[in-house]
Amino acid sequence: QRSAREYAVSRVRERCEGSGVDISHLRDDQVIDDFHFLAFPNLVFNTHSEMHTLFRARPGVVPGKSAFDFYLFHRLPSGTDGERLGAGHAKGPLDHVDYPEGSRITEVLDQDLDGIARVHAGLLSAGIDEVSFAGFECRLTAIHTELDKYRFA
């Protein structure tokens, strides 16, 4: 009997093989694990064997509101070069999809994205007296405080 993790690895491998993306050289942990990187100012990179995601939070145009950008990059089949894709591919329908606000993407990503609005609403509620930050969040807050001093000087 397989574990859920083993099943997920096999599904990713099958999907990649079916779409021409060669991940045969990757270990199972490299196939299924999410490698997560934070970058200044508010970028989060997630790398997976078959895709990469980029999350970007930005201040909104109205105080207390924010914008959240999400980019999903799928790997091209092995051996694909720009010439085989044809002229103008970068603007082609297979290369770029805009998801209108509220669109469903995938179950896991939908859960992640849906949670952001709930967290934001909770932080703005009257029930919050204080917030505890992790070390990297404190550093990020300090950087933004310093930037604001220059920006609004």
Side-chain angles (χ1 to χ4, degrees), residues 86-128:
H89 177 75
K91 295 181 177 20
L94 298 178
D95 190 66
H96 180 178
V97 176
D98 283 322
Y99 292 99
E101 189 171 335
S103 295
R104 309 321 293 165
I105 302 169
T106 68
E107 186 175 356
V108 172
L109 289 172
D110 290 347
Q111 290 173 356
D112 291 348
L113 297 173
D114 289 346
I116 293 167
R118 290 192 302 272
V119 168
H120 191 79
L123 288 171
L124 296 174
S125 76
I128 297 287

Side-chain angles (χ1 to χ4, degrees), residues 36-52:
H36 192 84
F37 303 94
L38 301 172
F40 178 81
N42 288 329
L43 298 175
V44 177
F45 298 93
N46 288 299
T47 59
H48 303 268
S49 57
E50 61 184 323
M51 68 176 171
H52 309 291

